[in-house]
Amino acid sequence: MFEGIARELKQVDRTIERAVEADEETLSSVADYVVSSGGKRVRPALVLLAFLAANGEKIRHVIPAAAAIEGIHTATLIHDDISDHSEKRRGKPSAHVSFGVARSLIAADYLMTAAFKLVGDYGVEALRTINTACMSMAIGEIQDLRRSADTRITEEEYLEIVERKTGALFEAGVRLGVMLAGAEPKQVRSFGAYGRHVGTAFQIVDDVLDVSRDAKALGKPVGKDLREGKVTVTSIYALQHLQGAERKHLVEVLTNSKRTPSTPDVSRAMESVRSTGAEAYGRALAKAYAERAKRALKGVPKSKALLELTHFADDVVERRS
Amino acid sequence: MFEGIARELKQVDRTIERAVEADEETLSSVADYVVSSGGKRVRPALVLLAFLAANGEKIRHVIPAAAAIEGIHTATLIHDDISDHSEKRRGKPSAHVSFGVARSLIAADYLMTAAFKLVGDYGVEALRTINTACMSMAIGEIQDLRRSADTRITEEEYLEIVERKTGALFEAGVRLGVMLAGAEPKQVRSFGAYGRHVGTAFQIVDDVLDVSRDAKALGKPVGKDLREGKVTVTSIYALQHLQGAERKHLVEVLTNSKRTPSTPDVSRAMESVRSTGAEAYGRALAKAYAERAKRALKGVPKSKALLELTHFADDVVERRS
């Protein structure tokens, strides 16, 4: 993925590294550790591609923005792992396991501050874009916590949370890329809609993968949402389609706040969810969002970068790990 | 304290409340809870006074800046309590005890983001001031963690950490106040030095109070630093002046990372520290910083606000709780 901008993505990584380079070794090590275990750099890639698709010229100019988006994303991963007591992140021990909670919290603050600094250098408008996203994310995360074990949550409510929690940062990144390319407000909005929808699709597929037999076969840990009692798009669908003992069991696994459900219980719940066709349903839902994302870019002049953005929307739906 | 600006400090509180007012009830409750258990509003008061002392006119203009500084301070308190496993904050259960770690972390992010938003509205220069402070704080906090149980730390090294950890946010607040009053760079630097020194004095007195018999009599919890193995100005002094069994015992209390020292051990260590005259020494050191703070304002034209700033420096040294 993103072969066309591989070199620029390397520069994004270096920009993050430089931004968190402190006199303080420990701080840089924690930040570097988390950034390097981060993943596929999907968010910064979209910032760069959006910039190019909106006819942006000097791609150097947008790299700090891409780095900032990834920095913010990384800071939220540190917090998520602390909140969820997650011991691992992409197969490596989580930051708080490796460095302790205190150091990890400080490193997350440092990453956030460094990101705001990078964006602030573009001016107040850019900063507002990021601010809006961060506030939206916080609201989404709180709603996610409050409603996560609520088995009566509707799909609509759930999707609204996903848009806030995940869609907003994708949207902000894409908006930023396009703004820095000098695009008109109308175009900024169109690209923003692309980002929001594609981010939402991305999260839906993440939810699907958590109950996927294929993901398990690929060595990805599955059943995390069920184990942590997090209702997602697949369990919402399953709850609508299961009956009797299996439904009751799934509700129990999801709502038992007193103890972590056992592995056999999680496996059984996962089987029930799968048996309803929730995976296919989730993929179809993600596809609907991906289509909306592509439609948002309809008026944009054809270019290689635009093609990559539309391909990305398709790839998100097909993602297997 | 701060009678002259009592009304404006109320407005600061309301500005923070409004800034964290989300559609999301939980989020606002956590943020409100922490802000309301916050304390004396020392930092925002200095922002307002600095603005007035630098001949700022419409004090309304500076209130969001004061709110932002307090918001950032509050966010760090949430993190500190999580990192230190502190169960209480000013006699009330800490945020993470009342609302859980996950919600508290999100509320802290929200406060930080809201603060950056408030400051960003003043423009890029204001944002840079806050950014610098936040990065400095993170570096100071990490150094504090790394060196806190190191009984070989020198007073000089310790004071450098305090300047970063506490002095930097005081400095940024005062700078911001003066900048928003339209002051010249030279004046911004002078006021900034005042803020940094007075903040450092403030933290030194905090350290002194932690071993103070008076503070204990006033119901303030004491011995926290010793219990958590945090070397501060008083224990550094004591380590230089104790000998034999008492010194050995103090070192043991401070460096025993395996278990929390018992209450009798903490009491004995506190007694040893006191016996060296470390409290008086700490106050004298704080006084030296307060004097430096006052000297930094020497060239500033006399005014009521200036007088309050110099009085504040004196009050910091005398602070009993």
Side-chain angles (χ1 to χ4, degrees), chain B residues 237 272-282:
Chain B
Y237 184 84
S272 323
V273 172
R274 276 187 208 130
S275 73
T276 63
E279 286 176 273
Y281 177 77

Side-chain angles (χ1 to χ4, degrees), chain B residues 23-83:
Chain B
D23 308 340
E24 240 314 303
E25 222 184 302
T26 324
L27 195 54
S28 316
S29 334
V30 185
D32 277 349
Y33 178 85
V34 192
V35 172
S36 72
S37 53
K40 301 180 221 109
R41 305 287 185 265
V42 169
R43 290 161 192 81
L46 294 187
V47 180
L48 301 176
L49 290 173
F51 176 83
L52 294 171
N55 245 326
E57 283 173 12
K58 296 206 173 125
I59 198 165
R60 276 183 76 90
H61 180 53
V62 77
I63 283 175
I69 297 287
E70 189 68 2
I72 292 169
H73 170 58
T74 307
T76 65
L77 295 183
I78 297 179
H79 287 178
D80 285 353
D81 287 344
I82 293 173
S83 297

Side-chain angles (χ1 to χ4, degrees), chain B residues 39-217:
Chain B
K40 301 180 221 109
R41 305 287 185 265
V42 169
R43 290 161 192 81
L46 294 187
V47 180
L48 301 176
L49 290 173
F51 176 83
L52 294 171
N55 245 326
E57 283 173 12
K58 296 206 173 125
I59 198 165
R60 276 183 76 90
H61 180 53
V62 77
I63 283 175
I69 297 287
E70 189 68 2
I72 292 169
H73 170 58
T74 307
T76 65
L77 295 183
I78 297 179
H79 287 178
D80 285 353
D81 287 344
I82 293 173
S83 297
D84 297 345
H85 308 284
S86 296
E87 305 279 311
K88 296 222 165 181
R89 162 79 52 193
R90 302 200 151 258
K92 280 166 68 178
S94 316
H96 68 99
V97 173
S98 295
F99 301 97
V101 169
R103 280 170 182 76
S104 303
L105 284 178
I106 300 168
D109 281 348
Y110 199 72
L111 271 164
M112 277 289 246
T113 309
F116 276 102
K117 184 168 190 252
L118 289 170
V119 173
D121 286 342
Y122 294 114
V124 171
E125 206 46 55
L127 182 72
R128 282 205 190 110
T129 305
I130 295 301
N131 253 312
T132 307
C134 288
M135 297 181 104
S136 182
M137 282 163 74
I139 294 173
E141 284 161 13
I142 276 276
Q143 291 180 328
D144 196 32
L145 279 177
R146 186 155 61 83
R147 297 194 177 162
S148 63
D150 179 358
T151 52
R152 290 157 313 172
I153 184 174
T154 65
E155 183 181 288
E156 204 186 333
E157 290 168 326
Y158 180 72
L159 291 170
E160 222 176 87
I161 294 174
V162 171
E163 274 198 27
R164 291 209 169 104
K165 206 183 56 155
T166 311
L169 189 60
F170 275 83
E171 174 174 357
V174 170
R175 268 178 177 264
L176 211 52
V178 180
M179 280 163 58
L180 296 176
E184 296 298 314
K186 204 186 147 206
Q187 222 184 356
V188 173
R189 278 196 300 277
S190 304
F191 274 89
Y194 165 87
R196 188 170 66 254
H197 295 320
V198 94
T200 305
F202 191 85
Q203 182 62 51
I204 294 171
V205 173
D206 242 20
D207 295 347
V208 168
L209 290 173
D210 196 59
V211 296
S212 151
R213 203 188 293 273
D214 295 354
K216 194 181 170 190

Side-chain angles (χ1 to χ4, degrees), chain A residues 15-38:
Chain A
T15 304
I16 305 178
E17 277 162 32
R18 267 200 309 275
V20 296
E21 224 168 62
D23 307 339
E24 241 314 303
E25 220 184 304
T26 324
L27 197 53
S28 316
S29 335
V30 184
D32 278 349
Y33 179 86
V34 191
V35 172
S36 71
S37 53

